[in-house]
Amino acid sequence: MSAVAQMIDVNAAADAEQELTDGFHLVIDALKLNGIETIYGVPGIPITDLGRMAQAEGLRVVSFRHEQNAGNAAAIAGFLTKKPGICLTVSAPGFLNGLTALANATTNCFPMILISGSSEREIVDLQQGDYEEMDQLAIAKPLCKAAFRVLHAEDIGIGVARAIRAAVSGRPGGVYLDLPAKLFSQVMDADKGAKSLVKVIDAAPAQLPAPSAVARALDVLKGAKKPLVILGKGAAYAQADEEIRTFVETSGIPFLPMSMAKGLLPDTHELNAGAARSVVLKDADVVLLVGARLNWLLSHGKGKTWGDAPKQFIQIDIEPKEMDSNVEIVAPVVGDIGSCISALLDGVKAGWTAPPSEWIETIKARKDVNIAKMSQRLLKNSTPMDFHSALGALKQVIKERPDAMLVNEGANTLDLARGVIDMYQPRKRLDVGTWGVMGIGMGFAVAAAVETGKPVLAVEGDSAFGFSGMEVETICRYNLPVCIVVFNNNGIYRGLDTDPTGRDPGTTVFVKDSRYDKMMEAFGGVGVNATTPDELKRAVDAAMDSGKPTLINAVIDPAAGSESGNIGSLNPQSVVKKKS
C-alpha cells in the first residue's frame, strides 16, 4: 500500500473515532456548568430522553403529575437558592401549563427558567398543522422577564447563559427558553461543543446605591417621630439577613414583615409590630420599604388602611421604575438590598437617636391586647375544630421545630395562619405571594423538601389543596418528608352553601365529610383523620419526627370561615334583586 493510501486510511479512522456530542448533551452540560443541580418537570415528547439523560448525568430530576406544579416547584426553588429554578415541559399544552407558574414567578420576582420543547419552526410559521403546533415564544414574551429560542446546537451554551443571567440579574423573574425538537438531535464535534458552552460570571452583580440617595433617606429617617420598617419577600430573597437584623436592632425602629418575610427577625422579637399592624400603618409618619411594593397587599400606600396622618415613604428597590408607582417616594434608594441596608447601617451607627419611647410603648400596648385576645381563641379544644383552635396546635409545632419549612395556602386557612403561626428563621414560610393564587401548595412543598432537606409542614385549605392534590403521589414516590394538613370544612370559605333551585350542590361546597387522608394512603403514605386540636398536634408531631409522607384530614366546622377570607372586599356582590 502506498504512503498516500496509508495516510488516507489513518485520516478516515481518525474521522470515524471523532468524538461527537448533540443537543441533548449540550443542554445538560450547559446547565451543569452553571451549577444547576435539579430539574422539575413532566416528561413527554420531545423532552423525555432529555430528562432521562440529565438524571444519568447526575442532575436530580423530579417528575410531577402536572406542569403547573412542577413550575411552581422551580419558582420557589429559585426563591430559596437565588439560582434559577428549572422547569422542563413538553410543547403546547404542557408549555401553557408551565407558563402559569412562569408568569407567577415573574410577578413575585422569583428566578425561574421554563424550558419547553416545541414543534418545528418551518411548519409552525406557515401554520401547516404540526404536532402540538404553537408559537410558544410569542405567547411567553408578554408574561415573563425574557424569552429566547435556540435553533442551532452551537448556540445552546449562549442560550442557557442568557436565560440564567436574565433570570437572576436586577429584579429577578421568569425566563422562557424554547428548544425545538430538531435541536436535540443536532450533532457536532464534542470539542467544539464544549468550547461553545458559557459559564455565567457574576450573574447578579451588586448594585450600590448612590451616596446622595443614602444621605437623603437617613435625613428623612432622622426626622421621624413614628418610624416603621416594612420588610417584603424581596428582603428575604436577598439573604442579607444579618445586615437587616443589625439595622433594625441598631436603629430601634419597629418592623412589620410581609408574610414571606416573616422570620427575617423572629416574630417574637420585641420590635415586631405585626400584632399591631393596623396601628402602625395608620400612625407611622415615615415608612421605610425594604423589598416590599406598595401594591394591593399594602392598599397601595393610601386609603383608610393608612389613616389620615401625613406620611413620607423611603423605598429600597433594585428596580428604579418601582418608585412612585402608587404614592410619592420622597427618598428612593435604588440598589440591591444588601448593599443599600449596609449603607444605611453605616449612617445609623454614627450617633443615631432611637425612636421616641412613646411610639414604642403605643405599639407594645396594642400588641399585648391583641395577643391576649388571640391566645384565648387558640386554646379552645373544641369538636369540630374551628380555624383558630386548629392553628393553635400548628403554632406549637413550628415553635418546637423552628427550622422546619411551612407552606401555606387557602382563603381563611392562609389569612389566619399568617397571623397565628410565628416564624423564627428566614425563608421558612412560603405562601401564595403577590397574586394570592391557589395551587402553589404541593409544588412548593416538594421543592422545599428537595432544596432544603428539612421537614415540610403544608397547611392547606381544602379548596386550595384540590388544585395540586394529585402531587401527593409525587411526594410518596420520592419519599419526601412532607406533612400535609388539609383544613376540611366541606367547601370554599364555608361548607354551607346551597343551590336555591334544589337541583345541584351549592357552587362553593364539596362532598360532605370527605376523607383526604385516604388519598395519601392510596400511594403508600400515612393518612390520619384528626377531629380535635390534641389529635392534630399528635399526628403532626409524629409525621414531622418520622419524615414519612403524611396527610392529615383536619375536620373543621363547616360554619367556620368567612367569604373570601380577609379580602372579601375584593369579591363584588350584586345589590340588585331579580323580580320573580
Side-chain angles (χ1 to χ4, degrees):
M1 182 181 295
S2 68
V4 172
Q6 287 179 332
M7 185 175 297
I8 291 173
D9 287 344
V10 170
N11 290 338
D15 289 341
E17 295 176 1
Q18 181 185 30
E19 187 175 355
L20 301 175
T21 189
D22 62 13
F24 286 108
H25 290 91
L26 288 169
V27 171
I28 295 165
D29 292 344
L31 294 173
K32 290 179 65 177
L33 180 65
N34 284 286
I36 301 300
E37 299 173 345
T38 306
I39 296 173
Y40 301 94
V42 176
I45 298 171
I47 49 84
T48 307
D49 269 1
L50 181 62
R52 289 193 183 112
M53 294 167 68
Q55 189 177 58
E57 290 293 325
L59 289 168
R60 188 167 194 188
V61 181
V62 182
S63 294
F64 281 73
R65 303 300 291 263
H66 193 283
E67 292 90 351
Q68 183 173 314
N69 304 323
N72 284 327
I76 207 64
F79 171 78
L80 291 169
T81 65
K82 297 187 75 174
K83 296 191 297 184
I86 306 297
C87 177
L88 181 63
T89 81
V90 302
S91 52
F95 152 76
L96 290 174
N97 289 339
L99 186 60
T100 301
L102 187 71
N104 189 53
T106 303
T107 297
N108 282 280
C109 309
F110 298 156
M112 169 189 168
I113 301 174
L114 173 63
I115 300 177
S116 295
S118 63
S119 300
E120 305 313 326
R121 296 306 317 150
E122 60 270 26
I123 301 177
V124 172
D125 289 346
L126 282 174
Q127 300 177 23
Q128 294 177 315
D130 200 7
Y131 169 74
E132 295 190 346
E133 178 181 297
M134 182 177 289
D135 190 350
Q136 296 169 198
L137 188 74
I139 293 170
K141 280 182 178 180
L143 298 173
C144 58
K145 187 179 177 186
F148 306 101
R149 176 182 290 131
V150 181
L151 295 177
H152 305 291
E154 58 266 30
D155 294 328
I156 287 173
I158 287 292
V160 170
R162 293 201 69 187
I164 290 172
R165 192 176 293 278
V168 300
S169 62
R171 173 175 281 180
V175 175
Y176 175 59
L177 188 60
D178 189 273
L179 304 182
K182 283 185 178 179
L183 176 72
F184 297 114
S185 58
Q186 289 182 21
V187 175
M188 65 182 297
D189 176 77
D191 184 58
K192 291 181 179 178
K195 291 178 180 177
S196 74
L197 301 181
V198 177
K199 182 175 177 59
V200 179
I201 305 300
D202 201 12
Q207 295 190 26
L208 304 181
S212 60
V214 174
R216 185 188 305 116
L218 288 169
D219 285 343
V220 174
L221 272 179
K222 287 176 183 177
K225 301 298 182 184
K226 297 178 179 180
L228 175 68
V229 174
I230 297 181
L231 302 173
K233 66 177 175 292
Y237 172 82
Q239 297 190 18
D241 308 337
E242 191 57 39
E243 292 90 339
I244 290 171
R245 179 168 187 151
T246 302
F247 174 79
V248 169
E249 293 181 339
T250 302
S251 68
I253 300 175
F255 69 95
L256 177 66
M258 302 300 286
S259 60
M260 283 181 61
K262 284 164 65 72
L264 272 170
L265 290 85
D267 282 342
T268 52
H269 196 284
E270 61 181 0
L271 290 173
N272 188 324
R277 187 179 191 271
S278 60
V279 168
V280 294
L281 291 181
K282 287 181 178 178
D283 293 347
D285 59 358
V286 172
V287 178
L288 170 60
L289 300 159
V290 183
R293 293 174 283 184
L294 286 174
N295 53 26
W296 72 277
L297 292 165
L298 285 170
S299 301
H300 306 285
K302 50 195 172 185
K304 64 180 182 179
T305 298
W306 291 90
D308 297 325
K311 286 176 175 51
Q312 292 182 299
F313 288 95
I314 305 166
Q315 186 163 15
I316 295 175
D317 202 289
I318 203 165
E319 174 54 69
K321 291 186 293 185
E322 184 63 38
M323 309 303 174
D324 307 316
S325 58
N326 278 286
V327 297
E328 179 187 12
I329 304 299
V330 301
V333 184
V334 177
D336 71 275
I337 288 172
S339 297
C340 293
I341 287 292
S342 295
L344 289 176
L345 183 57
D346 289 340
V348 167
K349 287 178 179 178
W352 186 261
T353 301
S357 59
E358 293 85 357
W359 176 231
I360 304 300
E361 289 302 319
T362 296
I363 296 171
K364 183 179 183 303
R366 179 56 64 93
K367 284 172 56 179
D368 290 346
V369 170
N370 289 342
I371 290 172
K373 287 181 180 178
M374 180 64 74
S375 296
Q376 295 303 310
R377 304 187 71 178
L378 301 181
L379 294 174
K380 186 179 177 183
N381 195 20
S382 58
T383 305
M385 295 180 281
D386 61 19
F387 287 95
H388 287 91
S389 59
L391 288 170
L394 301 183
K395 174 186 176 80
Q396 190 64 26
V397 169
I398 296 298
K399 182 178 181 180
E400 294 167 0
R401 299 168 181 81
D403 64 339
M405 303 298 296
L406 175 66
V407 174
N408 185 206
E409 65 173 335
N412 294 280
T413 305
L414 170 79
D415 292 336
L416 296 174
R418 184 191 297 120
V420 169
I421 300 178
D422 290 329
M423 306 306 297
Y424 303 89
Q425 296 178 18
R427 292 170 298 283
K428 297 296 184 182
R429 178 184 167 84
L430 311 175
D431 65 31
V432 301
T434 304
W435 268 351
V437 297
M438 299 285 191
I440 54 87
M442 297 303 96
F444 278 21
V446 168
V450 168
E451 300 293 341
T452 71
K454 301 293 184 181
V456 179
L457 175 61
V459 183
E460 301 275 312
D462 49 0
S463 173
F465 176 70
F467 286 82
S468 63
M470 193 61 191
E471 302 301 345
V472 298
E473 187 275 332
T474 306
I475 291 167
C476 289
R477 187 172 6 120
Y478 289 91
N479 194 30
L480 298 175
V482 176
C483 173
I484 305 160
V485 178
V486 177
F487 277 29
N488 182 3
N489 69 342
N490 293 343
I492 302 171
Y493 314 134
R494 292 183 294 270
L496 302 177
D497 206 1
T498 59
D499 177 0
T501 70
R503 180 179 55 193
D504 289 321
T507 58
T508 64
V509 299
F510 299 141
V511 172
K512 186 178 179 181
D513 301 329
S514 298
R515 290 290 300 275
Y516 294 99
D517 51 304
K518 298 299 182 181
M519 288 181 62
M520 183 64 88
E521 290 179 352
F523 298 111
V526 177
V528 180
N529 189 55
T531 60
T532 69
D534 289 341
E535 290 177 359
L536 178 58
K537 175 66 162 57
R538 287 195 298 271
V540 176
D541 282 341
M544 300 293 276
D545 291 342
S546 71
K548 295 178 181 178
T550 302
L551 194 153
I552 301 165
N553 185 62
V555 179
I556 305 294
D557 185 349
S562 59
E563 185 89 4
S564 301
N566 286 348
I567 56 174
S569 61
L570 300 180
N571 201 358
Q573 296 184 351
S574 175
V575 295
V576 177
K577 291 186 178 180
K578 187 176 180 181
K579 294 180 181 180
S580 58

